[in-house]
Amino acid sequence: MLVSFGSYSKEELIKSNAKIDLTSPLENGKIKTSAFMGCNKLFFTSEFKKESQLKISQVASTEMACPNMKLENDFSRNIKTMNHYKVEGHFLTLKNDQGSSMKFIAADWD
């Protein structure tokens, strides 16, 4: 579950059911990742490398028109720039070189 991103409150993110799924491994250490920010499904490839390096590629999504697309558009634009990761307990934090970050918590924790 996404619990921290930009100016969005945790409550807004939870209400949108904002989340990523990292459970579909591909070969060569790549993960077929899906995300949901309240409307469309997003798909991309994640590659977690040594030294906390991250590579996000092949970003695509379904294209339904939704009443509030701001969170989805902001997430789509930012996820492509994330290139560092950190795991602390049940938290996963993604960061980019410009200082933006996204913080996730395992779905079975609050």
Side-chain angles (χ1 to χ4, degrees):
M1 297 183 321
L2 182 59
V3 294
S4 177
F5 172 53
S7 62
Y8 295 96
S9 70
K10 182 178 179 182
E11 291 75 23
E12 288 175 291
L13 298 170
I14 290 171
K15 183 178 178 182
S16 295
N17 195 24
K19 61 187 174 188
I20 62 171
D21 182 351
L22 297 166
T23 61
S24 298
L26 292 173
E27 51 189 62
N28 300 324
K30 295 181 182 179
I31 300 170
K32 183 178 179 183
T33 308
S34 63
F36 182 78
M37 296 294 128
C39 182
N40 288 290
K41 286 195 172 191
L42 295 99
F43 309 94
F44 49 94
T45 300
S46 302
E47 189 174 355
F48 293 85
K49 301 178 178 186
K50 295 180 183 179
E51 311 272 330
S52 300
Q53 298 295 307
L54 171 66
K55 181 179 179 186
I56 303 286
S57 60
Q58 302 173 343
V59 179
S61 72
T62 57
E63 297 181 0
M64 295 187 304
C66 305
N68 184 1
M69 302 271 306
K70 183 170 176 10
L71 172 58
E72 188 172 302
N73 290 334
D74 289 345
F75 180 86
S76 295
R77 188 172 39 258
N78 279 275
I79 193 66
K80 299 172 191 176
T81 69
M82 297 296 146
N83 56 0
H84 302 283
Y85 74 94
K86 184 175 188 178
V87 176
E88 293 179 297
H90 300 286
F91 291 98
L92 168 67
T93 303
L94 308 181
K95 295 184 178 184
N96 65 21
D97 292 333
Q98 292 75 38
S100 294
S101 67
M102 300 175 175
K103 187 172 188 177
F104 301 87
I105 188 169
D108 55 349
W109 288 86
D110 188 55

